[in-house]
Amino acid sequence: MAKVLVFIDTPGPALKKSSLELLTIARSLGEPAVAFNGELHDDVAAALGEYGAQALYRPSANDLDDYLVGPKASYLAAAVQSSGATIVLAENSAEGKEIAARLGIKLGAGVITDVVAVDPDGTAHKSVLAGSYMTTARATTPVAVLTVKANSITPEPATTGTAPQAATIEVPETANAASARITARNEKTASGRPELSEARIVVAGGRGVDGDFGPLEDLADALGAAIGASRAATDAGWIGHDAQIGQTGKTVSPQLYISAGISGAIQQKAGMQTAKVIVAVNKDAESPVFEIADFGIVGDLFRVLPQATEEIKKRKADR
Amino acid sequence: MEGCCYTVEETLKIIVLVKHVPDAQFDRHLSGGDKTTDRSESILSELDEYALEAALQLIEARGGEAAGNKVIALSMGPAGAVNAVKKSLQIGATEGVHLSDDALAGSDAAATSLALAAAIRHLGADAPVDLVLTGMASTEGETSLVPAQLAERLGLPQVTFASSLELDGGKLTARRDGDSHADTVEATLPALVSVTDQINDPRYPNFKGIMAAKKKSITTLTLADIGVDPGLVGLAGSWTAVETAEARPPRTAGTIITDEGDAGIKLVEFLAAQKLL
Ligand SMILES: Cc1cc2nc3c(=O)[nH]c(=O)nc-3n(C[C@H](O)[C@H](O)[C@H](O)COP(=O)(O)OP(=O)(O)OC[C@H]3O[C@@H](n4cnc5c(N)ncnc54)[C@H](O)[C@@H]3O)c2cc1C
């Protein structure tokens, strides 16, 4: 059976949903193994067992996080060699893709990004050109490296759990040479809301919010949603750049995307048009966003959103 | 450029990678047997303009071209790619290089990075290259892999997604914005840097620049010039193959209502009907 290596970078105190998705896909392809970096909490080890990890690997070095990309790729290359894996799965974040990219060169392995599904024979399905095409692709090399988008499948634990011990992978001493070093790290303040690229629901605002994200935050909190923004809103400094959705921001594929005060420029659409359901609130009936909205409201967001928030709260209280 | 004998030059030699991409304003399609992007209507990628601007600012702070600094715009691709080089020269690049060879058609990221790495080594043969600059990933295909793969092939530190960039002697400091944190990153030259659209405001070519560009030369390189076996690039040399491509039916507009005082409630009714609450 094919060995499938899942890379989980700094799992933290609990596994992210996207990591559970990777493990679920790995089981459908063969025998899953996990290479992690950073600390392994007991709860995480238990979850990895529930999801059927047959082997665990940790790096001999504990400073991989102090460098950008290169050393992590060196570690993974060594882990692939030790485990005999023929498929590597990693998350589709910016850093995940870069690690996959360098790993591919180290191993002479084809890399496929933006994967949304993998057939048992290794054929990857992906959405390209901002979601306007679906393609299937294969690596033609002995090892394949795939980065999988969050929210691609529903995670499912294995029918029989495991309790693997972590083996240490020697990271080559040269791994940190010719690497950029991270000299300072400023954690951004946590909002308490879900992470944008993983969220089931995203409420996004544009120039139309005119500096006041309050009504969007209230609606997001009523729905358990993450907050996103157009570039006009991030450029104006009303919200951090990391909230930007689109060509030069994040790509999201949530179940529901609520767009408020955003015109729907092509660069904005590039980041959100694969959302399952799109709702748009805009006071201009001619706005291009209405061309892709499943439900559009021509109206003032400062009236429509608070009314919707109240209605949701009322319904929740009545339940 | 690998490691051992690099000494920091007084002057800078920067290579900026410029792509010609289908203009996002036009419809983009996949065409041909190799399901690659149709590049018939293309321009200099907007995102590469930020890299070019960053390069120009770095050399201008060191006396510009007159002081011996160089910004070489390098583009790989079919005939149309030369337009990206021309535009770069108009904006201010000091030299242009167009890597063009029929055998390159259909190259995936691995094959593209192989050819670009060879071209960069070739351009560094007389005097070493200090910095390779690229724009951030465009939305198309697997191109987001190229900067990291190029850094791997050249053995360079990669400083990707830089939203600021400073250079002091041979030391480079950049800011990189991540999802949950913003990092300060340091590397020594030579290095590969990709910049985001937050780094600067790219200049437009002005009349003087357009006139000056006419006198600048564009060197065309083939695979033979840079010593690359054609079998290692193109569809044959690629490590991935696209098997099928299907246009998604375009999203169609759904229900559009005009607010008559109760649209917020109607919105919640819609969400409830879709089981999204
Ligand atoms: C290289 C490049 C990359 C880019 N990358 C991105 C990207 O990643 N993401 C992105 O979003 N953009 C990106 N852009 C910018 C993009 O082209 C648009 O300029 C931007 O998306 C516009 O933002 P907006 O819709 O918020 O603003 P606008 O286009 O100004 O639209 C504001 C909308 O709000 C509506 N409105 C105003 N007041 C109200 C109200 N009270 N209630 C309801 N509606 C109201 C208006 O009718 C209007 O439609 C990029 C551009 C370039 C050139």
Side-chain angles (χ1 to χ4, degrees):
Chain A
M1 195 151 54
K3 292 226 165 63
V4 185
L5 188 69
V6 174
F7 177 48
I8 304 180
D9 198 356
T10 39
L15 285 179
K16 287 195 290 188
K17 177 166 166 271
S18 56
S19 304
L20 300 178
E21 292 182 40
L22 293 181
L23 287 161
T24 308
I25 294 173
R27 283 205 319 274
S28 73
L29 300 173
E31 194 177 290
V34 170
F36 65 92
N37 170 42
E39 226 184 306
L40 184 67
H41 292 259
D42 291 346
D43 288 356
V44 170
L48 292 174
E50 273 167 46
Y51 276 77
Q54 302 286 335
L56 287 187
Y57 301 100
R58 64 153 48 102
S60 60
N62 57 13
D63 61 351
L64 298 186
D65 249 353
D66 295 345
Y67 296 88
L68 270 190
V69 183
K72 289 180 185 171
S74 298
Y75 157 53
L76 270 187
V80 169
Q81 255 129 31
S82 294
S83 62
T86 52
I87 302 175
V88 181
L89 301 180
E91 71 171 48
N92 200 54
S93 61
E95 196 182 5
K97 287 192 214 182
E98 292 185 319
I99 293 168
R102 291 189 84 132
L103 177 65
I105 299 299
K106 286 181 191 293
L107 298 173
V111 183
I112 302 175
T113 63
D114 303 298
V115 173
V116 294
V118 191
D119 294 341
D121 71 351
T123 302
H125 296 251
K126 52 181 282 175
S127 86
V128 301
L129 294 185
S132 53
Y133 277 83
M134 284 298 297
T135 62
T136 57
R138 287 181 68 84
T140 53
T141 45
V143 178
V145 181
L146 312 179
T147 64
V148 183
K149 283 188 158 182
N151 294 322
S152 290
I153 57 156
T154 311
E156 273 168 37
T159 39
T160 45
T162 56
Q165 287 298 308
T168 301
I169 297 287
E170 263 335 293
V171 180
E173 294 215 344
T174 52
N176 297 347
S179 288
R181 206 162 62 84
I182 298 166
T183 54
R185 169 158 290 186
N186 299 307
E187 299 293 334
K188 294 180 180 164
T189 40
S191 63
R193 298 197 181 91
E195 223 231 283
L196 194 49
S197 45
E198 299 222 333
R200 212 176 65 89
I201 303 178
V202 173
V203 179
R207 201 191 306 277
V209 308
D210 201 15
D212 179 11
F213 267 79
L216 282 85
E217 288 172 355
D218 293 343
L219 179 60
D221 291 340
L223 288 166
I227 297 271
S230 74
R231 178 156 137 184
T234 57
D235 278 357
W238 301 335
I239 185 165
H241 175 62
D242 42 319
Q244 184 181 316
I245 289 169
Q247 185 190 351
T248 47
K250 296 208 169 78
T251 304
V252 296
S253 312
Q255 297 288 312
L256 170 64
Y257 188 91
I258 301 182
S259 159
I262 298 179
S263 59
I266 188 138
Q267 296 93 347
Q268 152 75 206
K269 284 198 233 165
M272 46 68 78
Q273 66 184 359
T274 55
K276 193 118 185 283
V277 174
I278 297 175
V279 170
V281 182
N282 193 306
K283 64 183 185 189
D284 174 9
E286 302 298 317
S287 263
V289 71
F290 288 125
E291 291 161 15
I292 57 163
D294 299 290
F295 190 73
I297 296 171
V298 181
D300 184 345
L301 73 92
F302 292 103
R303 295 170 55 109
V304 178
L305 299 193
Q307 189 180 47
T309 308
E310 282 319 307
E311 178 68 11
I312 293 165
K313 285 190 184 155
K314 207 170 98 208
R315 288 184 180 221
K316 286 204 170 142
D318 290 349
R319 250 190 250 160
Chain B
M1 356 197 339
E2 269 99 311
C4 99
C5 317
Y6 181 81
T7 49
V8 180
E9 303 287 323
E10 315 253 288
T11 56
L12 278 181
K13 180 168 174 181
I14 305 177
I15 294 185
V16 182
L17 300 181
V18 293
K19 283 179 302 289
H20 64 126
V21 294
D23 190 330
Q25 306 301 333
F26 298 118
D27 273 341
R28 295 187 290 179
H29 9 243
L30 299 178
S31 67
D34 53 357
K35 317 276 189 315
T36 48
T37 311
D38 179 358
R39 297 176 186 280
S40 44
E41 297 170 293
S42 61
I43 51 159
L44 169 62
S45 159
E46 285 158 334
L47 298 174
D48 295 337
E49 293 179 14
Y50 298 93
L52 182 57
E53 178 66 34
L56 295 175
Q57 288 183 10
L58 285 172
I59 70 158
E60 281 162 3
R62 286 159 184 78
E65 191 179 2
N69 297 292
K70 282 183 181 172
V71 172
I72 304 171
L74 167 62
S75 190
M76 168 181 145
V82 81
N83 294 326
V85 180
K86 279 190 188 146
K87 178 136 188 235
S88 304
L89 292 175
Q90 292 176 349
I91 294 172
T94 57
E95 288 169 38
V97 177
H98 178 202
L99 172 60
S100 181
D101 200 302
D102 290 346
L104 286 167
S107 293
D108 69 352
T112 300
S113 64
L114 182 132
L116 286 173
I120 291 168
R121 284 197 196 97
H122 176 85
L123 294 170
D126 57 340
V129 175
D130 300 290
L131 199 57
V132 179
L133 270 169
T134 81
M136 65 193 285
S138 66
T139 47
E140 45 161 319
E142 233 89 73
T143 47
S144 64
L145 299 173
V146 172
Q149 296 203 320
L150 192 54
E152 179 70 30
R153 289 191 187 276
L154 293 169
L156 295 180
Q158 71 172 85
V159 178
T160 35
F161 299 101
S163 58
S164 76
L165 179 62
E166 275 161 44
L167 197 57
D168 183 7
K171 197 180 88 183
L172 179 159
T173 309
R175 181 188 154 101
R176 170 179 162 110
D177 283 312
D179 285 345
S180 56
H181 42 80
D183 295 336
T184 307
V185 181
E186 276 179 21
T188 46
L189 294 185
L192 177 140
V193 177
S194 82
V195 303
T196 73
D197 60 342
Q198 301 298 304
I199 196 167
N200 55 39
D201 291 313
R203 67 192 74 179
Y204 295 104
N206 56 24
F207 180 71
K208 213 173 123 215
I210 292 168
M211 294 315 286
K214 295 196 168 142
K215 296 199 200 80
K216 295 178 189 166
S217 65
I218 298 181
T219 310
T220 306
L221 294 176
T222 63
L223 290 175
D225 295 328
I226 58 171
V228 168
D229 173 354
L232 295 178
V233 295
L235 281 179
S238 290
W239 295 344
T240 54
V242 180
E243 297 189 329
T244 61
E246 220 176 287
R248 272 228 186 143
R251 278 195 101 100
T252 46
T255 316
I256 312 286
I257 62 165
T258 300
D259 184 21
E260 284 164 354
D262 60 349
I265 302 198
K266 292 209 166 118
L267 167 53
V268 177
E269 282 164 3
F270 170 80
L271 297 182
Q274 299 278 327
K275 303 207 174 2
L276 285 165
L277 281 185

